[in-house]
Amino acid sequence: MIKNDLFLRALKGETVERPPVWMMRQAGRYLPDFMKLKEKYDFFTRCRTPELAAEITTMPIEQVGTDAAILFSDILVVPQAMNVEIEMRPGVGPFLPNPVRSPLDVNDIIVPDVYEELGYVYDAIKLTKERLNDEVPLIGFAGSPWTILCYLVQGQGSKNFDKAKEFCFKRPDAAQVLLQKITDTTIAYLKGKVKAGVDAIQIFDSWGGLLSPTDYQTYSWKYIQQIIDALKDEIPVIAYGKGCWFALKEMSQSGAAALGVDWTCSAINARYLSGGQITLQGNFDPSRLYSTPQEIKKMTTQMIDEFGKDRYIANLGHGILPDIPVRNAQAFVDAVKEYKPR
Ligand code: CP3
C-alpha cells in the first residue's frame, strides 16, 4: 500500500536494493522553513496544532527525501498528560517548575485517558497520513520510561541526570511505581498511535547509557520490554538506546523488529552482540555532518559496507544537530540512495 516501502521491508528483514534512510530528529531544527514557523509559534503550540505538526513532519520528505517520516511531536507530551507541568524554554530546553522529588510527588502523577489528553497527537497523525498520501511510512514514537523519569525528576536536561539516579537509588520503591505509571500510559498512548495510522514505532531510550548494565535491567529495560510485548504483534517496534551497546544481546531477543545503535559501537560489534539476525539502525556520528559533503558521502558508503545493505536502516547515531547545513544532511541521504553493493 505504501509506495516507498524500503523501510518497512528492512524492518521485516527482507532483501532490499539499498538500505532505507531517515534521520533521528529530522523534523525541524536544521530546516530553514522550520525556523520560520518557530518564530511564530511556541514549541508546544507546534506540537498541539495538527496542521503545523503535519507540515513540519512532511518537510524532510519534500526537502531532503528521506525514506520515512517521523511525526513532529516530543517525548515530553506523555508526562504532560500525566499531570506534570512542562515548559520548553528557548535556548534552554525542557523545564519543569515542580519536578518529582519524593514518593508523595509520585502519588500526584496520574495514568490519564490518552484519548482525552493526547487526542491532538492522534489528529496530527491522521492529517499527516493524508498529506503523505502513502508515499513513505510514518514513524510514531515515545520516550522510554527511564528517559521520561530522567526529566520528571531532574526537572531539566542534564549531562548525568544525577538527581534522577539519586531518586532511584534512595527511593527504589517509589521509582518503580513511577516507572510503571509511565509504562502503562506509554502503552495506551502507543496503541492509540497505531490506531491513528502510524506504520512503525520507535522507543527512544536516550539516557539508558547512563545506567550500569545491572541497573539498566532494573530501571529501564524491564519497562521497554513490557512496551514491546504489548505492541509487537500489532506493529514493528524499533528500540533505540543511546550508549546501550551492552544490552544488545537481550534487546535482540525481545521481539523488537530493529535495534538502534549509536556511533560509539562499531558495526561489527553491534552485529556480533545482537546475534547477526536482527535489523540494525544507525549509527553515523551526528557531528560528522560538519564534514564536507564529499567526506560525508565517503563515510556513509563505508558505514553501509560495514553494516551490510540488508537488515539495515541507515540513520544517525542520535538526533541531527540544529546547525547542520541542509546540504550536508542532503549528502548523507543521497549517499545512501546512491549506494551500490560491492
Ligand atoms: O525526530 C523528529 O524530528 C521528530 C520530533 C522529535 C522532537 N523531539 C522534536 C523536538 C522527537 C522524536 C523528539 C524526541 C525527544 N525529545 C527526545 C529523544 C531523542 C533525543 O534526541 O534524545 C528527547 C530526549 C526529547 C526532549 C527534548 N525536546 C529536549 C531535550 C529538547 C531541547 C533540546 C533540543 O533537542 O533541541 C526538546 C525540544 C525539541 N523537540 C525540539 C524539537 C524539534 C527543538 C525545540 C524547538 O523546536 O523549539
Side-chain angles (χ1 to χ4, degrees), residues 23-29 34 38 43 46 70-76 88 93-94 141 147 151 204 206-207 318-319:
M23 295 178 291
M24 285 192 273
R25 310 292 299 269
Q26 68 184 15
R29 302 187 110 185
F34 174 79
K38 203 171 153 163
F43 182 71
R46 277 173 272 147
I70 180 160
L71 185 73
F72 177 77
S73 183
D74 201 85
I75 61 169
L76 299 173
M88 194 60 76
F141 66 89
T147 291
Y151 289 99
F204 284 89
S206 303
W207 308 125
H318 195 195

PDB file of all heavy atoms in Angstrom, residues 23-29 34 38 43 46 70-76 88 93-94 141 147 151 204 206-207 318-319, ligand 1:
ATOM      1  N   MET A  23      16.591  10.236   9.410  1.00  0.00           N
ATOM      2  CA  MET A  23      17.493  10.789  10.431  1.00  0.00           C
ATOM      3  C   MET A  23      16.707  11.085  11.703  1.00  0.00           C
ATOM      4  O   MET A  23      15.659  11.731  11.648  1.00  0.00           O
ATOM      5  CB  MET A  23      18.131  12.093   9.929  1.00  0.00           C
ATOM      6  CG  MET A  23      19.054  11.902   8.737  1.00  0.00           C
ATOM      7  SD  MET A  23      19.723  13.468   8.156  1.00  0.00           S
ATOM      8  CE  MET A  23      18.258  14.243   7.484  1.00  0.00           C
ATOM      9  N   MET A  24      17.223  10.613  12.822  1.00  0.00           N
ATOM     10  CA  MET A  24      16.578  10.948  14.086  1.00  0.00           C
ATOM     11  C   MET A  24      16.546  12.460  14.245  1.00  0.00           C
ATOM     12  O   MET A  24      17.527  13.126  13.935  1.00  0.00           O
ATOM     13  CB  MET A  24      17.321  10.282  15.252  1.00  0.00           C
ATOM     14  CG  MET A  24      17.030   8.797  15.335  1.00  0.00           C
ATOM     15  SD  MET A  24      17.611   8.076  16.872  1.00  0.00           S
ATOM     16  CE  MET A  24      19.276   7.685  16.408  1.00  0.00           C
ATOM     17  N   ARG A  25      15.426  12.974  14.687  1.00  0.00           N
ATOM     18  CA  ARG A  25      15.159  14.404  14.870  1.00  0.00           C
ATOM     19  C   ARG A  25      15.196  15.156  13.531  1.00  0.00           C
ATOM     20  O   ARG A  25      15.543  16.342  13.501  1.00  0.00           O
ATOM     21  CB  ARG A  25      16.142  15.026  15.869  1.00  0.00           C
ATOM     22  CG  ARG A  25      16.265  14.255  17.183  1.00  0.00           C
ATOM     23  CD  ARG A  25      15.015  14.308  18.018  1.00  0.00           C
ATOM     24  NE  ARG A  25      14.660  15.650  18.398  1.00  0.00           N
ATOM     25  CZ  ARG A  25      15.078  16.237  19.515  1.00  0.00           C
ATOM     26  NH1 ARG A  25      15.836  15.593  20.345  1.00  0.00           N
ATOM     27  NH2 ARG A  25      14.709  17.443  19.803  1.00  0.00           N
ATOM     28  N   GLN A  26      14.798  14.470  12.472  1.00  0.00           N
ATOM     29  CA  GLN A  26      14.834  15.101  11.152  1.00  0.00           C
ATOM     30  C   GLN A  26      13.759  16.168  10.969  1.00  0.00           C
ATOM     31  O   GLN A  26      13.881  17.029  10.106  1.00  0.00           O
ATOM     32  CB  GLN A  26      14.676  14.048  10.044  1.00  0.00           C
ATOM     33  CG  GLN A  26      13.294  13.395   9.992  1.00  0.00           C
ATOM     34  CD  GLN A  26      13.189  12.289   8.947  1.00  0.00           C
ATOM     35  OE1 GLN A  26      14.191  11.809   8.443  1.00  0.00           O
ATOM     36  NE2 GLN A  26      11.976  11.891   8.610  1.00  0.00           N
ATOM     37  N   ALA A  27      12.680  16.077  11.765  1.00  0.00           N
ATOM     38  CA  ALA A  27      11.577  17.026  11.608  1.00  0.00           C
ATOM     39  C   ALA A  27      11.876  18.294  12.402  1.00  0.00           C
ATOM     40  O   ALA A  27      11.631  18.356  13.590  1.00  0.00           O
ATOM     41  CB  ALA A  27      10.267  16.383  12.073  1.00  0.00           C
ATOM     42  N   GLY A  28      12.438  19.289  11.718  1.00  0.00           N
ATOM     43  CA  GLY A  28      12.685  20.549  12.407  1.00  0.00           C
ATOM     44  C   GLY A  28      14.150  20.882  12.523  1.00  0.00           C
ATOM     45  O   GLY A  28      14.976  20.452  11.716  1.00  0.00           O
ATOM     46  N   ARG A  29      14.464  21.678  13.490  1.00  0.00           N
ATOM     47  CA  ARG A  29      15.829  22.035  13.892  1.00  0.00           C
ATOM     48  C   ARG A  29      16.668  22.699  12.823  1.00  0.00           C
ATOM     49  O   ARG A  29      16.844  23.892  12.834  1.00  0.00           O
ATOM     50  CB  ARG A  29      16.574  20.801  14.413  1.00  0.00           C
ATOM     51  CG  ARG A  29      15.884  20.148  15.575  1.00  0.00           C
ATOM     52  CD  ARG A  29      16.705  19.069  16.176  1.00  0.00           C
ATOM     53  NE  ARG A  29      17.193  19.441  17.492  1.00  0.00           N
ATOM     54  CZ  ARG A  29      18.028  18.694  18.198  1.00  0.00           C
ATOM     55  NH1 ARG A  29      18.529  17.604  17.699  1.00  0.00           N
ATOM     56  NH2 ARG A  29      18.379  19.065  19.389  1.00  0.00           N
ATOM     57  N   PHE A  34      11.407  25.358   9.034  1.00  0.00           N
ATOM     58  CA  PHE A  34      11.015  25.087  10.415  1.00  0.00           C
ATOM     59  C   PHE A  34      11.339  26.296  11.286  1.00  0.00           C
ATOM     60  O   PHE A  34      10.538  26.705  12.131  1.00  0.00           O
ATOM     61  CB  PHE A  34      11.758  23.846  10.930  1.00  0.00           C
ATOM     62  CG  PHE A  34      11.530  23.571  12.387  1.00  0.00           C
ATOM     63  CD1 PHE A  34      10.365  22.956  12.811  1.00  0.00           C
ATOM     64  CD2 PHE A  34      12.481  23.919  13.341  1.00  0.00           C
ATOM     65  CE1 PHE A  34      10.153  22.692  14.157  1.00  0.00           C
ATOM     66  CE2 PHE A  34      12.271  23.660  14.685  1.00  0.00           C
ATOM     67  CZ  PHE A  34      11.103  23.045  15.095  1.00  0.00           C
ATOM     68  N   LYS A  38       8.996  28.488  13.802  1.00  0.00           N
ATOM     69  CA  LYS A  38       9.412  28.594  15.189  1.00  0.00           C
ATOM     70  C   LYS A  38       9.302  30.037  15.700  1.00  0.00           C
ATOM     71  O   LYS A  38       9.036  30.267  16.876  1.00  0.00           O
ATOM     72  CB  LYS A  38      10.867  28.117  15.270  1.00  0.00           C
ATOM     73  CG  LYS A  38      11.275  27.652  16.612  1.00  0.00           C
ATOM     74  CD  LYS A  38      12.637  27.004  16.563  1.00  0.00           C
ATOM     75  CE  LYS A  38      13.261  27.170  17.931  1.00  0.00           C
ATOM     76  NZ  LYS A  38      14.366  26.286  18.172  1.00  0.00           N
ATOM     77  N   PHE A  43       6.860  26.088  21.085  1.00  0.00           N
ATOM     78  CA  PHE A  43       7.088  24.667  20.826  1.00  0.00           C
ATOM     79  C   PHE A  43       5.836  23.804  20.988  1.00  0.00           C
ATOM     80  O   PHE A  43       5.472  23.042  20.091  1.00  0.00           O
ATOM     81  CB  PHE A  43       8.222  24.131  21.714  1.00  0.00           C
ATOM     82  CG  PHE A  43       8.518  22.695  21.446  1.00  0.00           C
ATOM     83  CD1 PHE A  43       9.143  22.312  20.265  1.00  0.00           C
ATOM     84  CD2 PHE A  43       8.136  21.714  22.338  1.00  0.00           C
ATOM     85  CE1 PHE A  43       9.397  20.985  19.983  1.00  0.00           C
ATOM     86  CE2 PHE A  43       8.390  20.374  22.064  1.00  0.00           C
ATOM     87  CZ  PHE A  43       9.019  20.006  20.890  1.00  0.00           C
ATOM     88  N   ARG A  46       3.218  24.196  18.401  1.00  0.00           N
ATOM     89  CA  ARG A  46       3.536  23.443  17.171  1.00  0.00           C
ATOM     90  C   ARG A  46       3.139  21.973  17.329  1.00  0.00           C
ATOM     91  O   ARG A  46       2.637  21.353  16.402  1.00  0.00           O
ATOM     92  CB  ARG A  46       5.037  23.560  16.865  1.00  0.00           C
ATOM     93  CG  ARG A  46       5.418  24.832  16.120  1.00  0.00           C
ATOM     94  CD  ARG A  46       6.936  24.961  16.000  1.00  0.00           C
ATOM     95  NE  ARG A  46       7.490  25.645  17.153  1.00  0.00           N
ATOM     96  CZ  ARG A  46       8.693  25.403  17.680  1.00  0.00           C
ATOM     97  NH1 ARG A  46       9.473  24.474  17.159  1.00  0.00           N
ATOM     98  NH2 ARG A  46       9.120  26.085  18.717  1.00  0.00           N
ATOM     99  N   ILE A  70       8.952  10.939  10.467  1.00  0.00           N
ATOM    100  CA  ILE A  70       8.699  10.745  11.901  1.00  0.00           C
ATOM    101  C   ILE A  70       7.860  11.918  12.368  1.00  0.00           C
ATOM    102  O   ILE A  70       8.154  13.076  12.040  1.00  0.00           O
ATOM    103  CB  ILE A  70       9.996  10.595  12.732  1.00  0.00           C
ATOM    104  CG1 ILE A  70       9.655  10.397  14.220  1.00  0.00           C
ATOM    105  CG2 ILE A  70      10.958  11.747  12.519  1.00  0.00           C
ATOM    106  CD1 ILE A  70      10.768   9.783  15.053  1.00  0.00           C
ATOM    107  N   LEU A  71       6.791  11.589  13.083  1.00  0.00           N
ATOM    108  CA  LEU A  71       5.842  12.622  13.494  1.00  0.00           C
ATOM    109  C   LEU A  71       6.523  13.717  14.300  1.00  0.00           C
ATOM    110  O   LEU A  71       7.256  13.431  15.241  1.00  0.00           O
ATOM    111  CB  LEU A  71       4.740  11.984  14.352  1.00  0.00           C
ATOM    112  CG  LEU A  71       3.627  12.954  14.736  1.00  0.00           C
ATOM    113  CD1 LEU A  71       2.746  13.254  13.535  1.00  0.00           C
ATOM    114  CD2 LEU A  71       2.819  12.426  15.901  1.00  0.00           C
ATOM    115  N   PHE A  72       6.271  14.965  13.954  1.00  0.00           N
ATOM    116  CA  PHE A  72       6.758  16.065  14.780  1.00  0.00           C
ATOM    117  C   PHE A  72       5.933  16.116  16.055  1.00  0.00           C
ATOM    118  O   PHE A  72       4.715  16.304  16.030  1.00  0.00           O
ATOM    119  CB  PHE A  72       6.673  17.410  14.058  1.00  0.00           C
ATOM    120  CG  PHE A  72       7.104  18.537  14.953  1.00  0.00           C
ATOM    121  CD1 PHE A  72       8.446  18.758  15.197  1.00  0.00           C
ATOM    122  CD2 PHE A  72       6.178  19.316  15.611  1.00  0.00           C
ATOM    123  CE1 PHE A  72       8.853  19.754  16.076  1.00  0.00           C
ATOM    124  CE2 PHE A  72       6.578  20.315  16.489  1.00  0.00           C
ATOM    125  CZ  PHE A  72       7.921  20.540  16.719  1.00  0.00           C
ATOM    126  N   SER A  73       6.617  15.914  17.175  1.00  0.00           N
ATOM    127  CA  SER A  73       5.980  15.936  18.491  1.00  0.00           C
ATOM    128  C   SER A  73       7.125  15.936  19.489  1.00  0.00           C
ATOM    129  O   SER A  73       8.225  16.362  19.163  1.00  0.00           O
ATOM    130  CB  SER A  73       5.090  14.696  18.653  1.00  0.00           C
ATOM    131  OG  SER A  73       4.418  14.722  19.889  1.00  0.00           O
ATOM    132  N   ASP A  74       6.913  15.459  20.695  1.00  0.00           N
ATOM    133  CA  ASP A  74       8.020  15.333  21.643  1.00  0.00           C
ATOM    134  C   ASP A  74       7.725  14.208  22.614  1.00  0.00           C
ATOM    135  O   ASP A  74       6.556  13.909  22.898  1.00  0.00           O
ATOM    136  CB  ASP A  74       8.240  16.639  22.415  1.00  0.00           C
ATOM    137  CG  ASP A  74       9.651  16.678  22.996  1.00  0.00           C
ATOM    138  OD1 ASP A  74      10.575  17.078  22.273  1.00  0.00           O
ATOM    139  OD2 ASP A  74       9.833  16.271  24.156  1.00  0.00           O
ATOM    140  N   ILE A  75       8.777  13.610  23.158  1.00  0.00           N
ATOM    141  CA  ILE A  75       8.572  12.547  24.145  1.00  0.00           C
ATOM    142  C   ILE A  75       7.905  13.110  25.412  1.00  0.00           C
ATOM    143  O   ILE A  75       7.284  12.372  26.154  1.00  0.00           O
ATOM    144  CB  ILE A  75       9.892  11.821  24.512  1.00  0.00           C
ATOM    145  CG1 ILE A  75      10.911  12.775  25.139  1.00  0.00           C
ATOM    146  CG2 ILE A  75      10.504  11.148  23.284  1.00  0.00           C
ATOM    147  CD1 ILE A  75      12.131  12.056  25.758  1.00  0.00           C
ATOM    148  N   LEU A  76       8.017  14.429  25.633  1.00  0.00           N
ATOM    149  CA  LEU A  76       7.522  15.008  26.882  1.00  0.00           C
ATOM    150  C   LEU A  76       6.032  15.323  26.882  1.00  0.00           C
ATOM    151  O   LEU A  76       5.489  15.749  27.902  1.00  0.00           O
ATOM    152  CB  LEU A  76       8.340  16.258  27.234  1.00  0.00           C
ATOM    153  CG  LEU A  76       9.832  15.950  27.457  1.00  0.00           C
ATOM    154  CD1 LEU A  76      10.631  17.237  27.630  1.00  0.00           C
ATOM    155  CD2 LEU A  76      10.029  15.049  28.675  1.00  0.00           C
ATOM    156  N   MET A  88       8.925  24.437  27.503  1.00  0.00           N
ATOM    157  CA  MET A  88      10.088  24.306  26.625  1.00  0.00           C
ATOM    158  C   MET A  88      10.681  25.700  26.519  1.00  0.00           C
ATOM    159  O   MET A  88      10.104  26.578  25.871  1.00  0.00           O
ATOM    160  CB  MET A  88       9.660  23.764  25.265  1.00  0.00           C
ATOM    161  CG  MET A  88      10.801  23.283  24.400  1.00  0.00           C
ATOM    162  SD  MET A  88      11.776  21.946  25.098  1.00  0.00           S
ATOM    163  CE  MET A  88      10.707  20.541  24.867  1.00  0.00           C
ATOM    164  N   GLY A  93      15.732  24.413  26.727  1.00  0.00           N
ATOM    165  CA  GLY A  93      15.161  23.071  26.574  1.00  0.00           C
ATOM    166  C   GLY A  93      14.060  22.847  27.595  1.00  0.00           C
ATOM    167  O   GLY A  93      13.492  23.803  28.127  1.00  0.00           O
ATOM    168  N   PRO A  94      13.761  21.592  27.898  1.00  0.00           N
ATOM    169  CA  PRO A  94      12.648  21.299  28.798  1.00  0.00           C
ATOM    170  C   PRO A  94      12.906  21.852  30.197  1.00  0.00           C
ATOM    171  O   PRO A  94      14.033  21.775  30.685  1.00  0.00           O
ATOM    172  CB  PRO A  94      12.617  19.769  28.848  1.00  0.00           C
ATOM    173  CG  PRO A  94      13.483  19.284  27.742  1.00  0.00           C
ATOM    174  CD  PRO A  94      14.442  20.366  27.422  1.00  0.00           C
ATOM    175  N   PHE A 141       6.429   7.552  17.942  1.00  0.00           N
ATOM    176  CA  PHE A 141       7.479   7.283  18.929  1.00  0.00           C
ATOM    177  C   PHE A 141       7.021   7.613  20.334  1.00  0.00           C
ATOM    178  O   PHE A 141       6.002   8.267  20.550  1.00  0.00           O
ATOM    179  CB  PHE A 141       8.746   8.086  18.603  1.00  0.00           C
ATOM    180  CG  PHE A 141       8.551   9.575  18.731  1.00  0.00           C
ATOM    181  CD1 PHE A 141       8.766  10.215  19.945  1.00  0.00           C
ATOM    182  CD2 PHE A 141       8.135  10.320  17.649  1.00  0.00           C
ATOM    183  CE1 PHE A 141       8.582  11.593  20.072  1.00  0.00           C
ATOM    184  CE2 PHE A 141       7.940  11.698  17.758  1.00  0.00           C
ATOM    185  CZ  PHE A 141       8.156  12.330  18.971  1.00  0.00           C
ATOM    186  N   THR A 147      13.909   7.263  30.438  1.00  0.00           N
ATOM    187  CA  THR A 147      14.275   8.578  29.895  1.00  0.00           C
ATOM    188  C   THR A 147      13.246   9.640  30.322  1.00  0.00           C
ATOM    189  O   THR A 147      13.607  10.774  30.630  1.00  0.00           O
ATOM    190  CB  THR A 147      14.449   8.483  28.363  1.00  0.00           C
ATOM    191  OG1 THR A 147      15.621   7.691  28.106  1.00  0.00           O
ATOM    192  CG2 THR A 147      14.619   9.838  27.707  1.00  0.00           C
ATOM    193  N   TYR A 151      13.729  13.261  33.067  1.00  0.00           N
ATOM    194  CA  TYR A 151      13.252  14.653  33.016  1.00  0.00           C
ATOM    195  C   TYR A 151      12.323  14.972  34.183  1.00  0.00           C
ATOM    196  O   TYR A 151      12.370  16.060  34.750  1.00  0.00           O
ATOM    197  CB  TYR A 151      12.562  14.939  31.675  1.00  0.00           C
ATOM    198  CG  TYR A 151      13.570  14.999  30.549  1.00  0.00           C
ATOM    199  CD1 TYR A 151      13.783  13.912  29.710  1.00  0.00           C
ATOM    200  CD2 TYR A 151      14.348  16.134  30.354  1.00  0.00           C
ATOM    201  CE1 TYR A 151      14.729  13.953  28.706  1.00  0.00           C
ATOM    202  CE2 TYR A 151      15.306  16.187  29.347  1.00  0.00           C
ATOM    203  CZ  TYR A 151      15.496  15.093  28.535  1.00  0.00           C
ATOM    204  OH  TYR A 151      16.455  15.134  27.552  1.00  0.00           O
ATOM    205  N   PHE A 204      12.604   5.775  22.226  1.00  0.00           N
ATOM    206  CA  PHE A 204      13.866   6.498  22.438  1.00  0.00           C
ATOM    207  C   PHE A 204      14.311   6.336  23.886  1.00  0.00           C
ATOM    208  O   PHE A 204      13.714   6.917  24.792  1.00  0.00           O
ATOM    209  CB  PHE A 204      13.682   7.999  22.183  1.00  0.00           C
ATOM    210  CG  PHE A 204      13.603   8.404  20.734  1.00  0.00           C
ATOM    211  CD1 PHE A 204      12.375   8.438  20.075  1.00  0.00           C
ATOM    212  CD2 PHE A 204      14.733   8.783  20.031  1.00  0.00           C
ATOM    213  CE1 PHE A 204      12.296   8.840  18.741  1.00  0.00           C
ATOM    214  CE2 PHE A 204      14.662   9.191  18.702  1.00  0.00           C
ATOM    215  CZ  PHE A 204      13.449   9.211  18.052  1.00  0.00           C
ATOM    216  N   SER A 206      17.080   7.604  25.317  1.00  0.00           N
ATOM    217  CA  SER A 206      18.224   8.489  25.102  1.00  0.00           C
ATOM    218  C   SER A 206      19.217   8.465  26.251  1.00  0.00           C
ATOM    219  O   SER A 206      20.394   8.724  26.065  1.00  0.00           O
ATOM    220  CB  SER A 206      17.729   9.915  24.882  1.00  0.00           C
ATOM    221  OG  SER A 206      16.838   9.923  23.800  1.00  0.00           O
ATOM    222  N   TRP A 207      18.747   8.157  27.466  1.00  0.00           N
ATOM    223  CA  TRP A 207      19.639   8.227  28.631  1.00  0.00           C
ATOM    224  C   TRP A 207      19.872   6.867  29.279  1.00  0.00           C
ATOM    225  O   TRP A 207      20.404   6.786  30.385  1.00  0.00           O
ATOM    226  CB  TRP A 207      19.118   9.255  29.648  1.00  0.00           C
ATOM    227  CG  TRP A 207      18.851  10.568  28.986  1.00  0.00           C
ATOM    228  CD1 TRP A 207      17.687  11.279  28.986  1.00  0.00           C
ATOM    229  CD2 TRP A 207      19.767  11.333  28.176  1.00  0.00           C
ATOM    230  NE1 TRP A 207      17.810  12.421  28.225  1.00  0.00           N
ATOM    231  CE2 TRP A 207      19.077  12.475  27.712  1.00  0.00           C
ATOM    232  CE3 TRP A 207      21.105  11.165  27.772  1.00  0.00           C
ATOM    233  CZ2 TRP A 207      19.676  13.424  26.874  1.00  0.00           C
ATOM    234  CZ3 TRP A 207      21.693  12.110  26.938  1.00  0.00           C
ATOM    235  CH2 TRP A 207      20.976  13.222  26.511  1.00  0.00           C
ATOM    236  N   HIS A 318      22.357   9.503  16.796  1.00  0.00           N
ATOM    237  CA  HIS A 318      21.481  10.251  17.700  1.00  0.00           C
ATOM    238  C   HIS A 318      20.910  11.376  16.857  1.00  0.00           C
ATOM    239  O   HIS A 318      21.114  11.395  15.635  1.00  0.00           O
ATOM    240  CB  HIS A 318      22.270  10.761  18.915  1.00  0.00           C
ATOM    241  CG  HIS A 318      21.407  11.217  20.063  1.00  0.00           C
ATOM    242  ND1 HIS A 318      21.894  11.980  21.100  1.00  0.00           N
ATOM    243  CD2 HIS A 318      20.094  11.006  20.351  1.00  0.00           C
ATOM    244  CE1 HIS A 318      20.923  12.223  21.975  1.00  0.00           C
ATOM    245  NE2 HIS A 318      19.812  11.634  21.532  1.00  0.00           N
ATOM    246  N   GLY A 319      20.185  12.328  17.460  1.00  0.00           N
ATOM    247  CA  GLY A 319      19.494  13.350  16.683  1.00  0.00           C
ATOM    248  C   GLY A 319      20.428  14.271  15.907  1.00  0.00           C
ATOM    249  O   GLY A 319      21.549  14.556  16.331  1.00  0.00           O
TER     250      GLY A 319
HETATM  251  O1  CP3 B   1      12.636  13.239  15.098  1.00  0.00           O
HETATM  252  C1  CP3 B   1      11.949  14.255  14.922  1.00  0.00           C
HETATM  253  O2  CP3 B   1      12.361  15.238  14.335  1.00  0.00           O
HETATM  254  C2  CP3 B   1      10.533  14.233  15.430  1.00  0.00           C
HETATM  255  C3  CP3 B   1      10.284  15.110  16.509  1.00  0.00           C
HETATM  256  C4  CP3 B   1      11.004  14.930  17.848  1.00  0.00           C
HETATM  257  C5  CP3 B   1      11.281  16.032  18.694  1.00  0.00           C
HETATM  258  N1  CP3 B   1      11.762  15.553  19.861  1.00  0.00           N
HETATM  259  C6  CP3 B   1      11.033  17.452  18.360  1.00  0.00           C
HETATM  260  C7  CP3 B   1      11.758  18.500  19.107  1.00  0.00           C
HETATM  261  C8  CP3 B   1      11.415  13.773  18.517  1.00  0.00           C
HETATM  262  C9  CP3 B   1      11.416  12.328  18.037  1.00  0.00           C
HETATM  263  C10 CP3 B   1      11.873  14.178  19.798  1.00  0.00           C
HETATM  264  C11 CP3 B   1      12.336  13.217  20.811  1.00  0.00           C
HETATM  265  C12 CP3 B   1      12.949  13.727  22.048  1.00  0.00           C
HETATM  266  N2  CP3 B   1      12.627  14.838  22.757  1.00  0.00           N
HETATM  267  C13 CP3 B   1      13.963  13.044  22.748  1.00  0.00           C
HETATM  268  C14 CP3 B   1      14.546  11.707  22.358  1.00  0.00           C
HETATM  269  C15 CP3 B   1      15.527  11.802  21.265  1.00  0.00           C
HETATM  270  C16 CP3 B   1      16.809  12.505  21.613  1.00  0.00           C
HETATM  271  O3  CP3 B   1      17.170  13.413  20.883  1.00  0.00           O
HETATM  272  O4  CP3 B   1      17.459  12.090  22.574  1.00  0.00           O
HETATM  273  C17 CP3 B   1      14.288  13.818  23.861  1.00  0.00           C
HETATM  274  C18 CP3 B   1      15.338  13.494  24.902  1.00  0.00           C
HETATM  275  C19 CP3 B   1      13.411  14.949  23.871  1.00  0.00           C
HETATM  276  C20 CP3 B   1      13.333  16.027  24.889  1.00  0.00           C
HETATM  277  C21 CP3 B   1      13.657  17.351  24.306  1.00  0.00           C
HETATM  278  N3  CP3 B   1      12.841  18.048  23.440  1.00  0.00           N
HETATM  279  C22 CP3 B   1      14.808  18.135  24.540  1.00  0.00           C
HETATM  280  C23 CP3 B   1      15.965  17.731  25.426  1.00  0.00           C
HETATM  281  C24 CP3 B   1      14.667  19.332  23.791  1.00  0.00           C
HETATM  282  C25 CP3 B   1      15.551  20.562  23.777  1.00  0.00           C
HETATM  283  C26 CP3 B   1      16.834  20.383  23.129  1.00  0.00           C
HETATM  284  C27 CP3 B   1      16.741  20.088  21.651  1.00  0.00           C
HETATM  285  O5  CP3 B   1      16.878  18.905  21.329  1.00  0.00           O
HETATM  286  O6  CP3 B   1      16.544  20.992  20.855  1.00  0.00           O
HETATM  287  C28 CP3 B   1      13.449  19.210  23.075  1.00  0.00           C
HETATM  288  C29 CP3 B   1      12.904  20.211  22.138  1.00  0.00           C
HETATM  289  C30 CP3 B   1      12.592  19.737  20.779  1.00  0.00           C
HETATM  290  N4  CP3 B   1      11.911  18.596  20.460  1.00  0.00           N
HETATM  291  C31 CP3 B   1      12.903  20.435  19.580  1.00  0.00           C
HETATM  292  C32 CP3 B   1      12.370  19.665  18.528  1.00  0.00           C
HETATM  293  C33 CP3 B   1      12.389  19.994  17.062  1.00  0.00           C
HETATM  294  C34 CP3 B   1      13.682  21.754  19.489  1.00  0.00           C
HETATM  295  C35 CP3 B   1      12.994  22.896  20.132  1.00  0.00           C
HETATM  296  C36 CP3 B   1      12.121  23.724  19.233  1.00  0.00           C
HETATM  297  O7  CP3 B   1      11.917  23.387  18.061  1.00  0.00           O
HETATM  298  O8  CP3 B   1      11.600  24.762  19.706  1.00  0.00           O
END
